[in-house]
Amino acid sequence: MAKKMVELASIQAGFLGIESAREEVGITVSYWDNLASIKNWKANVDHLEAQKLGRTLWYDAFKVRVCKVERDY
């Protein structure tokens, strides 16, 4: 499912990239051009289904954060 979500996100307007780490805790960070693009991704039917499955099948805890990157170096 993670691979499918990356493929789907990558064709969405405003998508800038993704970083992911999978060890004891799985963390995925997606980067978007603007808040409208984030809202559109959040409303994507396939993404909503993946989140539902994540909550019920794969994760004990699930959290979403929306942040603004000011610098990256």
Side-chain angles (χ1 to χ4, degrees), residues 9 12-17 30-43 65-69:
Q12 301 296 303
F15 179 76
L16 299 174
S30 60
Y31 298 94
W32 299 87
D33 190 35
N34 54 59
L35 285 175
S37 296
I38 294 169
K39 288 178 184 178
N40 289 338
W41 175 239
K42 175 73 175 156
R65 289 186 182 131
V66 177
C67 307
K68 182 177 180 182
V69 176

Side-chain angles (χ1 to χ4, degrees), residues 8-49:
L8 183 60
S10 69
I11 61 172
Q12 301 296 303
F15 179 76
L16 299 174
I18 195 164
E19 295 176 321
S20 186
R22 301 265 184 247
E23 295 297 329
E24 291 179 28
V25 176
I27 298 171
T28 300
V29 178
S30 60
Y31 298 94
W32 299 87
D33 190 35
N34 54 59
L35 285 175
S37 296
I38 294 169
K39 288 178 184 178
N40 289 338
W41 175 239
K42 175 73 175 156
N44 180 284
V45 174
D46 292 325
H47 185 221
L48 288 170
E49 180 63 22

Side-chain angles (χ1 to χ4, degrees), residues 48-63:
L48 288 170
E49 180 63 22
Q51 287 183 349
K52 180 180 175 183
L53 290 171
R55 285 186 198 95
T56 59
L57 297 178
W58 303 315
Y59 301 113
D60 293 330
F62 183 93
K63 189 183 296 187

